[in-house]
Amino acid sequence: MKKWYQLDIERVEQKLHVVTSKGLTQKQVEKRRKEFGPNVLEGSKKVSKGLIFLKQFQDFMVLVLLAATLIAGMLGEYIDAIAIMVIVLINGFIGYFQEQKAENSLEKLKELSAPMANVLREGKWEKIASKDVVTGDVVRVYSGDRIPADIRIVQSNGMETEESALTGESLPVAKHATAISSDDLDPQDQLNMGFKGTMVTRGHAIGIVVGTGMHTVMGQIASLMASTKKVPTPLERKLAELGKILIFLALMLTLLVVIVGIYQGHPVYQMFLAGVSLAVAAIPEGLPAIVTVALSLGVQRMIRKRAIVRKLSAVETLGCASVICSDKTGTMTENQMTVKSLFLNGKNLSVTGDGYDVIGDYYVQERKIDRHFPNLEMMLLYGMLCNNASLFVRKGKYYVDGDPTDGALIVAARKLGLSMELAESFRIIKEIPFDSDRKRMSIILEDENKRRFLITKGAPEVLLPRSSYVMEANGRTLLKHANKTNIEAAIDHMAEKALRTIAISMKPLSKNASLDADFLEKDMTFIGLFGMMDPPRKEVKGAIAECQAAGIKTVMITGDHAKTAKAIAENLNLLPNDGKVIDGQQLNRMSVDELEAVIDDVYVFARVTPAHKLKIVQAFQAKGHVVAMTGDGINDAPAIKASDIGISMGISGTDVTKEASSLILMDDNFATIKAAINEGRNIYENIRKFIRYLLASNVGEILVMLFAMLLALPLPLVPVQILWVNLVTDGLPAMALGLDQAEKDVMRRGPRNPREGVFSRGLGFKIVSRGIVIGIITLIAFILTYDHSAHLVHGQTVAFATLVMAQLIHVFDCRCEQSIFDRNPFENMYLVLSVLSSIILLLIVIYWQPLQPIFHTTFLSGRDWLLILGLSAIPTFLFGFTKK
């Protein structure tokens, strides 16, 4: 039986029941998906839910507590043992659900950031998740894409792929569409095949899918592609280290409480159980889980704001960003390029109409012209032929599939009445794809009379030196100095009007002419210039202003002419009066050190190549900046990877760029970067809030017990009460703090120093001072209501209620960096509801008689509550008017 690479295209179509020009029908797609399953590789087995649940009890302190519970049961303290066991189980369930939520969020992220595929179905090209590709699908791949499945290539336009994932060889492999007769070829020798997971490094191609998922070459070696372990973020690592220090301090203090208690004459068993309960309550074992959930919830909010986080570390780094290096086209602008002006026959022509709508007219000065104007039809036809985009209509609106610049050229031709059918009468001999370093694209065509010619489009400064002739109204003439001066003046004129310029040239060819690019792309005939505009997005100006207020510098990076870039930057209020504009030629002459010396004054980089982007990132980083860099092309990947926050385009970005990035913009919009930074800052602040709340509460719990032991008092809290506080009062409000909205001035503060510690900006003082006062007022409540052993339960109940209420009032204080009175408490209804639920649960364990013996509580009077509430409010009101 012949292999796919041995079959010609017609036989492949027959075997898979597909026509390359039409693609599969929806019915065929559904049938094949059921038959072969999704186009994914099987990863490592997921940990079962049961094991995740059991993992919640492997913590050393929880195991000690379970052992203590067993001892309590053996000593006949059945009520205490059962109560502690129930609390431990509830705690385990909460930890399990937190971990599941975080895991589900991460799985959702993987789905959202998965590669996309261009497929032809029922005659229409559409973009789908590559996991939905089925056998027989007709797919189209471009430079920078990962091939979504194993494909038999049916049309190759200079396509080369990098197959190191399969072969270990990083050199690109040129692909073609011709059948190969040889038997038993290894994948690297199957030059008419594209393989799942390999990368297109040059050109583009169309192919038919012959294998998906585990039925691909990559699937055969899937065992080598085991899923990577989750890497903790820098913040999670920092908090893990902090946790170890806190565990040591908590254990030391707990041990001190136990020793002092035994010395004071308390029973050893009672102090042992109290000590273990206090250690469990004091050690913030829920902190990593809450951080993960806070990060994942923040990531979900970012998704709703059209930003997909691929690496969780980016969330915290966003708050440190001090420079955003942003592409202009599509990010700061609408990405609906429109030809507004032409330079032809030495004259300036204007074009009416906006966007991709094909309605518009051509004018010379005030006079309307038609297709008979000299060379106009030829120039527009050549722009339509040297092109990889297509124009289509959906619900009465025009859209472009492909590069917006190519789309603009098609729209310009359609405005003159030229149809795509006219372009189909030419046969493509060879295409030399656009390359960001070459800054041009060429195509060799043959017309109906078998005459061959070359069309090249690209940057004017690249095409002009390669042209020896110029097309005038009376025909072709030698390109003289006067012609060059006129063309350069036209380029400057268009640039001053914020128009991007594209030049077009041609060259007649003989049938035996060399097809080598260096030979072809010289001695050409310069035809004219297209001046096109991509209007700025309406929301970008405001987003740039907000970034400036947040101490974040916005830098525009573009391939446009310096004057065009400057005009747009001024329109967006991005370029200050003393701001500098540097172009690619200047960058070439500058070392990184020289660029570093002036970079703080530069706001626009024009006529840059992707290689320049890396230089720009390095120069900013050398000056101590935290850099966010956007990109979409394959050559942007090194700069994106080198930046602190790599940002790729979700719509126009290649799969390679997305994989190198930390953040994907689903709408390719600069305003989304600003929204992501806002969210990133808020997530970090929310993490600080619940660290502040949890640790201040824990300090209060330890100190009330320690002070009581030092004063030779009975235990103000029993073990089950300590555990209850840890479960109900600490857990729910801390989670709700993770959902808090951003403070109003979060985007009016400067970027956070990446070396800043968690306890910076006075957080350490706030934790210790509030914790000490909470401990003192709880002890005062106990002393005031306990006078002898007969009233011990009453005193313990008052101390228990005071500790709970002080923490629940303090949680609102934790929402504010400054004063509690700066924010409306009802802004965060999750927090209000969690506090109310904690109060209701407190009242139940105090007033519901069956629970009183379990929690060692008794009925409290109105007078008791006045005392409790008065004392509980002291910490917040004592510090609420201060800014420390």
Side-chain angles (χ1 to χ4, degrees):
M1 183 179 170
K2 286 190 174 183
K3 304 282 179 63
W4 291 112
Y5 67 85
Q6 295 174 302
L7 302 176
D8 59 29
I9 295 164
E10 290 77 13
R11 187 73 186 110
V12 173
E13 288 181 326
Q14 288 169 11
K15 286 195 77 169
L16 294 173
H17 305 288
V18 65
V19 179
T20 305
S21 60
K22 296 269 178 148
L24 296 175
T25 64
Q26 199 56 42
K27 197 172 180 182
Q28 286 176 302
V29 170
E30 288 169 10
K31 185 180 177 184
R32 294 179 191 198
R33 190 174 293 136
K34 283 179 184 174
E35 186 178 349
F36 297 106
N39 178 32
V40 292
L41 299 176
E42 291 173 8
S44 58
K45 289 184 179 178
K46 284 189 176 182
V47 180
S48 70
K49 292 183 177 181
L51 282 175
I52 292 174
F53 179 68
L54 290 175
K55 203 174 83 172
Q56 308 306 314
F57 305 99
Q58 70 181 20
D59 181 78
F60 173 72
M61 291 311 301
V62 174
L63 292 174
V64 172
L65 185 61
L66 290 173
T69 307
L70 180 64
I71 294 168
M74 291 169 67
L75 293 174
E77 301 288 341
Y78 300 118
I79 292 177
D80 278 358
I82 292 168
I84 293 168
M85 184 64 76
V86 169
I87 288 172
V88 168
L89 281 171
I90 293 171
N91 214 23
F93 276 113
I94 289 173
Y96 166 76
F97 287 123
Q98 285 176 349
E99 197 164 323
Q100 278 290 101
K101 188 169 183 63
E103 192 63 35
N104 292 340
S105 299
L106 293 172
E107 284 299 317
K108 194 171 181 182
L109 286 183
K110 286 178 189 173
E111 286 178 25
L112 284 166
S113 58
M116 304 295 284
N118 281 296
V119 301
L120 182 68
R121 289 181 178 171
E122 297 182 349
K124 291 181 180 177
W125 286 103
E126 53 185 272
K127 215 167 204 181
I128 63 169
S130 57
K131 70 181 178 65
D132 294 327
V133 169
V134 299
T135 304
D137 259 328
V138 177
V139 301
R140 183 166 61 187
V141 288
Y142 293 97
S143 174
D145 289 347
R146 287 229 180 252
I147 299 177
D150 283 4
I151 61 173
R152 168 68 166 88
I153 296 164
V154 299
Q155 182 185 320
S156 174
N157 293 295
M159 186 172 92
E160 295 179 0
T161 62
E162 190 264 295
E163 299 180 345
S164 59
L166 297 177
T167 65
E169 179 56 64
S170 60
L171 289 175
V173 181
K175 297 291 183 177
H176 59 74
T178 311
I180 304 170
S181 57
S182 305
D183 292 323
D184 299 321
L185 289 182
D186 291 326
Q188 59 262 41
D189 298 318
Q190 297 173 18
L191 301 181
N192 57 6
M193 296 287 292
F195 301 105
K196 179 179 175 67
T198 61
M199 183 177 76
V200 181
T201 57
R202 187 172 180 175
H204 57 94
I206 293 174
I208 298 174
V209 174
V210 296
T212 60
M214 297 305 288
H215 303 287
T216 60
V217 173
M218 189 69 82
Q220 292 167 17
I221 55 171
S223 57
L224 301 177
M225 297 179 68
S227 56
T228 54
K229 293 180 181 178
K230 177 185 175 290
V231 179
T233 71
L235 179 62
E236 287 175 319
R237 286 197 295 270
K238 203 181 287 182
L239 289 175
E241 291 166 11
L242 171 65
K244 290 173 186 174
I245 296 167
L246 293 174
I247 286 170
F248 175 76
L249 291 174
L251 289 175
M252 289 300 100
L253 285 169
T254 301
L255 188 61
L256 182 61
V257 169
V258 173
I259 291 170
V260 173
I262 293 171
Y263 178 77
Q264 295 288 355
H266 293 282
V268 174
Y269 156 71
Q270 189 183 44
M271 289 313 303
F272 169 71
L273 194 56
V276 173
S277 301
L278 196 57
V280 170
I283 295 168
E285 74 285 339
L287 195 57
I290 293 175
V291 169
T292 304
V293 172
L295 285 169
S296 64
L297 289 174
V299 164
Q300 294 299 319
R301 287 197 296 271
M302 283 189 186
I303 290 169
R304 289 195 289 274
K305 292 177 180 176
R306 316 292 292 165
I308 298 171
V309 177
R310 292 192 70 254
K311 298 170 186 171
L312 275 181
S313 57
V315 175
E316 57 207 70
T317 314
L318 279 167
C320 307
S322 57
V323 173
I324 302 172
C325 294
S326 173
D327 281 334
K328 175 187 71 70
T329 304
T331 310
M332 293 185 166
T333 58
E334 295 282 2
N335 208 20
Q336 285 207 346
M337 198 69 77
T338 310
V339 174
K340 306 297 285 184
S341 180
L342 299 181
F343 179 75
L344 180 66
N345 307 331
K347 296 181 185 297
N348 290 304
L349 284 65
S350 61
V351 190
T352 61
D354 290 310
Y356 293 144
D357 201 321
V358 297
I359 297 169
D361 296 303
Y362 288 82
Y363 291 85
V364 174
Q365 294 176 338
E366 302 281 323
R367 182 170 60 89
K368 185 177 175 180
I369 58 173
D370 58 19
R371 62 199 301 169
H372 300 297
F373 185 81
N375 301 321
L376 178 59
E377 186 173 339
M378 177 181 65
M379 179 175 173
L380 295 174
L381 175 63
Y382 286 178
M384 189 163 66
L385 290 170
C386 190
N387 206 301
N388 282 322
S390 58
L391 189 69
F392 63 96
V393 183
R394 185 188 295 148
K395 295 181 181 177
K397 191 175 179 182
Y398 284 90
Y399 294 89
V400 164
D401 181 16
D403 185 84
T405 301
D406 282 357
L409 298 179
I410 293 174
V411 171
R414 292 286 299 274
K415 285 177 180 178
L416 196 70
L418 305 184
S419 66
M420 293 301 289
E421 286 75 20
L422 182 63
E424 288 168 8
S425 62
F426 293 84
R427 187 167 74 90
I428 299 171
I429 305 298
K430 181 179 179 180
E431 179 186 311
I432 306 168
F434 177 83
D435 184 282
S436 52
D437 291 321
R438 288 169 17 94
K439 293 184 180 178
R440 61 189 182 274
M441 169 191 175
S442 293
I443 191 165
I444 302 168
L445 296 167
E446 189 174 82
D447 66 14
E448 292 170 323
N449 299 315
K450 305 297 180 184
R451 289 177 302 194
R452 290 189 179 183
F453 57 98
L454 170 85
I455 304 169
T456 302
K457 75 165 191 285
E461 70 269 22
V462 174
L463 264 60
L464 201 52
R466 292 175 174 272
S467 299
S468 302
Y469 305 92
V470 63
M471 193 65 75
E472 298 280 4
N474 299 323
R476 190 177 78 158
T477 63
L478 277 171
L479 182 66
K480 298 174 184 174
H481 179 72
N483 301 118
K484 281 189 176 181
T485 304
N486 285 342
I487 293 167
E488 286 165 355
I491 293 168
D492 286 343
H493 178 66
M494 287 181 177
E496 283 166 3
K497 295 199 296 183
L499 297 178
R500 182 184 180 189
T501 49
I502 297 287
I504 196 150
S505 296
M506 65 85 63
K507 179 181 180 180
L509 297 174
S510 62
K511 282 214 170 184
N512 57 1
S514 168
L515 299 184
D516 179 65
D518 289 335
F519 167 78
L520 290 168
E521 296 172 338
K522 63 183 183 181
D523 294 327
M524 296 187 289
T525 301
F526 191 92
I527 298 172
L529 297 168
F530 291 95
M532 49 186 74
M533 174 178 276
D534 185 10
R537 291 179 184 263
K538 295 185 181 96
E539 63 275 19
V540 167
K541 188 183 282 189
I544 289 172
E546 282 194 56
C547 286
Q548 288 169 345
I552 303 168
K553 178 181 179 179
T554 305
V555 177
M556 179 194 288
I557 296 180
T558 178
D560 282 351
H561 193 282
K563 288 186 177 178
T564 307
K566 184 180 180 183
I568 292 172
E570 286 172 343
N571 186 312
L572 293 170
N573 293 339
L574 182 150
L575 185 66
N577 294 331
D578 57 347
K580 291 184 179 178
V581 178
I582 288 182
D583 64 22
Q585 290 184 346
Q586 291 171 286
L587 276 172
N588 288 333
R589 295 193 295 268
M590 298 170 81
S591 67
V592 173
D593 289 340
E594 288 171 330
L595 179 58
E596 184 189 330
V598 298
I599 199 157
D600 279 335
D601 299 321
V602 182
Y603 288 80
V604 177
F605 291 93
R607 276 292 189 248
V608 297
T609 65
H612 290 141
K613 283 190 170 185
L614 185 58
K615 194 173 183 179
I616 293 165
V617 169
Q618 290 168 341
F620 271 121
Q621 288 176 329
K623 292 286 280 187
H625 289 287
V626 175
V627 184
M629 169 65 81
T630 72
D632 53 10
I634 180 173
N635 291 328
D636 290 333
I640 281 178
K641 205 163 189 178
S643 66
D644 301 280
I645 309 158
I647 303 171
S648 63
M649 304 297 111
I651 298 171
S652 61
T654 60
D655 289 339
V656 175
T657 317
K658 289 174 187 174
E659 286 173 22
S661 67
S662 311
L663 196 71
I664 300 174
L665 304 183
M666 294 163 76
D667 55 2
D668 292 10
N669 192 340
F670 178 86
T672 305
I673 303 174
K674 187 272 301 179
I677 289 175
N678 189 336
E679 193 60 56
R681 287 186 173 192
N682 187 40
I683 291 168
Y684 185 81
E685 291 307 313
N686 284 351
I687 289 170
R688 277 172 54 90
K689 288 172 191 176
F690 58 64
I691 288 173
R692 174 181 168 183
Y693 174 67
L694 282 175
L695 297 189
S697 299
N698 291 355
V699 167
E701 289 165 27
I702 291 176
L703 292 183
V704 69
M705 298 292 279
L706 179 60
F707 292 157
M709 296 300 98
L710 293 173
L711 294 172
L713 293 170
L715 292 179
L717 300 168
V718 295
V720 73
Q721 289 173 346
I722 296 169
L723 292 172
W724 189 95
V725 171
N726 184 49
L727 173 69
V728 178
T729 313
D730 290 356
L732 291 174
M735 286 292 295
L737 279 174
L739 298 168
D740 208 13
Q741 295 174 352
E743 292 187 58
K744 289 176 183 175
D745 66 342
V746 75
M747 286 300 281
R748 291 196 292 273
R749 303 173 193 165
R752 178 171 54 83
N753 188 322
R755 291 181 291 278
E756 176 185 288
V758 177
F759 295 114
S760 64
R761 289 180 272 149
L763 187 65
F765 173 77
K766 288 174 184 174
I767 288 168
V768 174
S769 60
R770 273 61 161 183
I772 289 172
V773 177
I774 288 171
I776 290 171
I777 59 111
T778 303
L779 187 62
I780 290 170
F782 177 69
I783 292 169
L784 291 176
T785 52
Y786 161 76
D787 53 7
H788 53 81
S789 56
H791 295 96
L792 178 59
V793 174
H794 179 249
Q796 288 173 334
T797 306
V798 171
F800 174 49
T802 304
L803 178 66
V804 170
M805 293 307 300
Q807 290 184 9
L808 294 179
I809 295 172
H810 173 59
V811 75
F812 291 101
D813 190 20
C814 295
R815 291 186 66 226
C816 313
E817 191 70 30
Q818 303 297 328
S819 165
I820 188 173
F821 305 106
D822 288 344
R823 301 194 71 184
N824 179 354
F826 295 100
E827 283 176 357
N828 186 344
M829 286 308 296
Y830 294 106
L831 184 59
V832 173
L833 291 172
S834 70
V835 168
L836 286 175
S837 63
S838 295
I839 291 170
I840 290 166
L841 289 170
L842 173 66
L843 295 174
I844 289 171
V845 298
I846 290 174
Y847 290 104
W848 192 29
Q849 219 161 351
L851 292 179
Q852 287 178 339
I854 296 171
F855 287 94
H856 301 267
T857 56
T858 187
F859 293 99
L860 297 179
S861 66
R863 188 176 173 184
D864 291 329
W865 280 109
L866 285 174
L867 175 67
I868 290 165
L869 294 174
L871 289 171
S872 301
I874 287 173
T876 294
F877 280 93
L878 187 63
F879 297 104
F881 293 98
T882 70
K883 296 193 175 182
K884 289 188 177 180

